[in-house]
Amino acid sequence: MQLSREALLQAYRQMKVIREFEERLHSEIQTGEIAGFTHLYAGQEAVAVGVCEHLTPADKIISTHRGHGHCLAKGCDVNDMMKEIWGSREGLCRGKGGSMHIADTNVGMLGANGIVGAGAPIAVGAALSNKLDGPDENGKLRVAIAFSGDGACNQGTTFEAMNLAVVTQAPCIFVFENNHYSEHTGVDYAVGTSKDIASRAEAFGMKVWRADGTDFFAVYETMRELLDYVRAGNGPAAVEFDTERFYGHFEGDPQRYRGPGELDRIRETRDCLKAFRASVTGARLLTDADLDALDAEVMDAIEGAVETARAAPRPTAEDVLTDVYVNY
Amino acid sequence: MAKMMYREAVVSTIAAEMERDPSVVVLGEDVVGGMGTAGGPEAIGGIWSTSTGLFGKFGKDRVIDTPISESAIMGAAAGLALAGKRPIAELMFADFIGVSLDQIWNQIGKFRYMFGGKSKCPAVIRMAYGAGFNAAAQHSQSVHQILTGMPGLKVVMPSTPADVAGLLRQAIRDDDPVIFLEHKALYATSGEVPDGEHLVPFGHARIARAGEDVTIVATGMLLGFCEAVADKLAGEGIGCDVIDLRTTSPLDEEAILDSVEVTGRLVVVDEAPPRCGLATDICSLVANKAFASLKAPPQPVTPPHTPIPFAREMESAYLPSADKIEAAVRKLLDWR
């Protein structure tokens, strides 16, 4: 597989946007300016981007508790997302959703979710909708993707969704992001199938893939293969990506469950952005200067998003009553 | 006008709407029935015969028979609706909401608001509710008080075949999620149904009997009991204003308050448990907004606060009856 220079730059830019979005949120949250619960995705960027770079707006995704990365990778506007997290009435969901409940159906992003494991059956429904619409002009089915973590994989909804997808041959893809922690509990303890989530999907009769989720190229190539399979009408499929979560379950989580030096070690050896840079510069596809220039551009974009969010108009008491059918 | 059964009004309305709008999709357990069996597809056609013939007419992509997976059914309905379809999901027995409640309550009911009004979720969730078949505590419940208490959901409770047709057509075309509650004891009842584009808007109660002495508010199966009481008392010169709510959310407050302003007396008959329910809600509404009109305290007539019993004698004793409704009316007339 050889990606064009443009595709490489785009992939790196997307991953960097997610990373800086998250790093900036991490520091802004310390100031107390952002309300509510925030669950950061930093560390897992290669998965969101490696999956979503293959998709069009007609392909749908359903995200998780840890949804910022999926939203950005699927094309949600960075300024509108920042405004939403700040709670502005100009936010992507008019300040009614906040960090955990961001959606933009215009780009095929059908929602992050405050309930762990709720997304998988919704993705099956979106996939059934795509199946009903039939193949595109190239004879390929539009798909729906359920992102789930290793925590969500233990919910009954995930099992029901996998079975229903197989029974109905829905073009649904279950993307399991195993970051080894469901909230504050380790995968070795909580996942009762030898730490292997993909084998569960296999048991439902699905073809499955497994790959290193910190390696953008592994994710991208796996998804290319998997998408060819599902778009051709072979029914659902699943993939498990082994990945890393750089922050706690939620912002403010003291992470006492981490091993000594664990966070430093994964930042050093399992950082998908560092790995991408080493790979493309090593192969002389891009230079450090190319990537540094992109870094600077992204930092400006994030700074701009934060300034925009900070200055954006706040909602009023009247806004509580809009967007619900009964007008009191 | 055609005379048809309550259950026929369900299936004929679904078929007509599927014909009209290709985005309408049906899904649920045994909605086709017989899948994967020697008997083959359509051996059943829904346990209430409310989807009979749809599979043959519209095919497997629009009439989706599901495994017994209530969360997956409701979640799939949510996904279909978010992706632009108009799913009609069948829950079979209303008692099963507990199994799928997250998808109904936290997902389907909240998307529109939570996503700032930029997404709609036009799902219809049909379920059979109510007692009368000695099916006991897990297959007889009235769950509208739970669902009415959830902002974002519209809750519909038709009591006649005409209202089944008019309200279900409205529900399918509505851009918000609608819980459509069908009383299982009414499926075999018959009535005239207007032909063609019969639509009944939500939030508009029906005056089943007009009278000036006592207001009786009810839904579903119990409406028939109330009508019988009204007819009986009419012979004694007592006028009952019997209000069929049709929808509990939105609630036609105006119809209730207008009636109580005239009668000054209110009986609310409900099949759900008494605590924190529809009857207490409407009594509270009237106490708050029409206190000056009241000649006596509002009377709720509900089952006791117990699970639903099995044996015939106990189920009859549990349910509101014509006798209990009549007694409540007379109590109001005798007050002071």
Side-chain angles (χ1 to χ4, degrees):
Chain A
M1 173 191 57
Q2 186 77 358
L3 283 167
S4 69
R5 180 182 161 81
E6 288 67 36
L8 290 171
L9 288 169
Q10 163 70 6
Y12 181 80
R13 185 177 197 286
Q14 288 289 76
M15 288 199 289
K16 186 70 178 172
V17 165
I18 299 171
R19 175 66 55 87
E20 291 310 324
F21 191 91
E22 300 277 271
E23 297 286 9
R24 185 63 184 266
L25 280 184
H26 179 69
S27 55
E28 293 293 340
I29 283 163
Q30 320 293 325
T31 69
E33 205 175 329
I34 297 168
F37 298 121
T38 313
H39 308 77
L40 299 186
Y41 188 75
Q44 304 182 208
E45 295 87 349
V47 177
V49 177
V51 171
C52 293
E53 282 299 290
H54 290 284
L55 307 180
T56 75
D59 297 310
K60 317 291 191 208
I61 69 164
I62 296 283
S63 175
T64 68
H65 233 72
R66 206 169 296 292
H68 305 154
H70 304 134
C71 292
L72 290 165
K74 192 68 172 70
C76 293
D77 181 81
V78 65
N79 290 324
D80 290 348
M81 278 191 51
M82 200 66 94
K83 282 188 277 189
E84 183 61 29
I85 291 165
W86 244 263
S88 165
R89 70 196 307 254
E90 285 183 356
L92 196 51
C93 302
R94 299 190 175 128
K96 293 223 178 72
S99 162
M100 276 189 286
H101 312 109
I102 294 180
D104 185 356
T105 49
N106 291 331
V107 299
M109 167 54 199
L110 304 193
N113 214 303
I115 307 294
V116 173
I122 302 173
V124 177
L128 287 170
S129 175
N130 284 347
K131 186 184 171 207
L132 189 58
D133 290 340
D136 63 14
E137 60 280 3
N138 302 315
K140 302 289 183 193
L141 285 170
R142 269 76 51 130
V143 303
I145 293 187
F147 286 102
S148 306
D150 46 299
C153 85
N154 291 325
Q155 289 279 15
T157 42
T158 306
F159 284 66
E160 288 191 23
M162 289 196 285
N163 189 52
L164 182 60
V166 171
V167 167
T168 56
Q169 289 291 289
C172 188
I173 297 162
F174 298 89
V175 173
F176 292 108
E177 292 180 74
N178 185 349
N179 66 17
H180 320 120
Y181 292 98
S182 51
E183 297 196 8
H184 321 282
T185 300
V187 70
D188 289 0
Y189 174 83
V191 177
T193 43
S194 314
K195 295 177 280 178
D196 180 62
I197 299 164
S199 63
R200 294 180 172 183
E202 224 157 15
F204 283 100
M206 269 182 268
K207 188 165 176 182
V208 305
W209 282 258
R210 295 170 178 85
D212 180 355
T214 66
D215 177 351
F216 169 82
F217 298 99
V219 174
Y220 188 87
E221 181 61 18
T222 302
M223 284 306 293
R224 195 178 57 74
E225 237 181 85
L226 191 161
L227 278 158
D228 280 348
Y229 172 84
V230 174
R231 289 190 194 284
N234 291 305
V239 57
E240 178 176 354
F241 292 118
D242 186 63
T243 183
E244 303 293 346
R245 189 179 91 192
F246 285 180
Y247 290 105
H249 169 56
F250 61 95
E251 277 305 90
D253 172 5
Q255 301 196 71
R256 287 188 291 268
Y257 47 84
R258 296 274 194 180
E262 181 180 325
L263 283 168
D264 292 337
R265 190 169 63 248
I266 61 173
R267 285 257 191 194
E268 190 51 43
T269 63
R270 298 266 289 156
D271 182 333
C272 55
L273 278 152
K274 280 185 187 163
F276 185 98
R277 182 180 279 257
S279 174
V280 294
T281 54
R284 296 172 194 270
L285 298 169
L286 297 174
T287 64
D288 277 317
D290 292 330
L291 299 172
D292 291 346
L294 259 183
D295 284 353
E297 188 195 304
V298 167
M299 297 299 274
D300 284 349
I302 297 297
E303 178 59 36
V306 169
E307 282 167 20
T308 307
R310 199 165 264 148
R314 305 300 304 171
T316 64
E318 285 76 51
D319 293 319
V320 174
L321 304 182
T322 58
D323 307 319
V324 67
Y325 75 90
V326 180
N327 295 312
Y328 291 101
Chain B
M1 296 276 258
K3 191 161 185 175
M4 64 173 80
M5 280 193 286
Y6 191 95
R7 68 156 57 92
E8 290 169 339
V10 175
V11 71
S12 65
T13 304
I14 294 174
E17 288 302 293
M18 290 184 82
E19 198 76 62
R20 190 187 67 86
D21 180 354
S23 71
V24 179
V25 177
V26 167
L27 69 161
E29 295 157 3
D30 280 327
V31 293
V32 180
M35 300 292 279
T37 70
E42 298 214 277
I44 301 292
I47 69 153
W48 307 111
S49 302
T50 49
S51 48
T52 311
L54 297 177
F55 179 80
K57 208 166 178 183
F58 300 104
K60 68 176 167 56
D61 288 344
R62 291 186 67 195
V63 183
I64 304 164
D65 203 287
T66 68
I68 299 178
S69 307
E70 287 83 7
S71 288
I73 296 165
M74 295 307 144
L80 280 157
L82 278 179
K85 300 297 182 286
R86 291 187 178 273
I88 305 173
E90 182 176 302
L91 187 58
M92 199 179 273
F93 282 87
D95 310 71
F96 306 161
I97 53 164
V99 182
S100 57
L101 197 54
D102 177 64
Q103 292 293 341
I104 297 172
W105 175 40
N106 276 321
Q107 313 299 330
I108 291 171
K110 289 180 182 166
F111 284 148
R112 174 162 163 177
Y113 189 81
M114 218 162 56
F115 300 157
K118 295 178 183 174
S119 301
K120 59 183 184 182
C121 191
V124 178
I125 304 169
R126 297 180 39 244
M127 52 186 97
Y129 77 100
F133 284 93
N134 309 106
Q138 294 174 344
H139 284 74
S140 305
Q141 292 171 93
S142 292
V143 297
H144 55 275
Q145 70 181 118
I146 299 170
L147 296 160
T148 303
M150 294 175 182
L153 299 174
K154 294 177 177 174
V155 181
V156 181
M157 300 179 75
S159 65
T160 67
D163 275 359
V164 165
L167 291 164
L168 184 53
R169 184 170 280 109
Q170 182 76 31
I172 295 167
R173 297 182 188 185
D174 201 291
D175 280 342
D176 280 315
V178 178
I179 308 289
F180 198 82
L181 295 161
E182 298 159 20
H183 200 295
K184 59 174 88 75
L186 295 177
Y187 274 134
T189 59
S190 294
E192 298 284 343
V193 174
D195 301 322
E197 291 281 291
H198 173 50
L199 286 157
V200 175
F202 294 160
H204 293 271
R206 178 175 71 95
I207 307 301
R209 292 288 185 279
E212 299 192 338
D213 297 313
V214 181
T215 300
I216 307 178
V217 176
T219 56
M221 175 182 75
L222 300 176
L223 206 82
F225 298 178
C226 299
E227 288 171 314
V229 169
D231 291 346
K232 181 182 173 189
L233 294 178
E236 299 177 23
I238 300 166
C240 297
D241 211 35
V242 179
I243 298 177
D244 177 357
L245 285 180
R246 286 174 161 161
T247 61
T248 59
S249 187
L251 179 69
D252 190 348
E253 294 190 6
E254 206 179 326
I256 300 166
L257 295 171
D258 285 354
S259 175
V260 171
E261 266 172 36
V262 174
T263 64
R265 300 179 184 93
L266 174 69
V267 174
V268 189
V269 187
D270 191 26
E271 204 178 318
R275 299 293 316 284
C276 304
L278 185 67
T280 46
D281 187 51
I282 292 172
C283 289
S284 152
L285 167 79
V286 167
N288 277 318
K289 296 194 177 171
F291 187 70
S293 306
L294 287 172
K295 298 170 184 161
Q299 294 295 306
V301 179
T302 68
H305 199 63
T306 67
I308 301 174
F310 162 63
R312 284 201 181 87
E313 298 82 349
M314 284 197 289
E315 193 192 64
S316 309
Y318 168 92
L319 279 174
S321 62
D323 286 349
K324 288 176 195 166
I325 297 163
E326 186 183 330
V329 171
R330 290 191 188 280
K331 185 177 167 190
L332 286 182
L333 290 163
D334 292 344
W335 206 78
R336 268 215 274 256

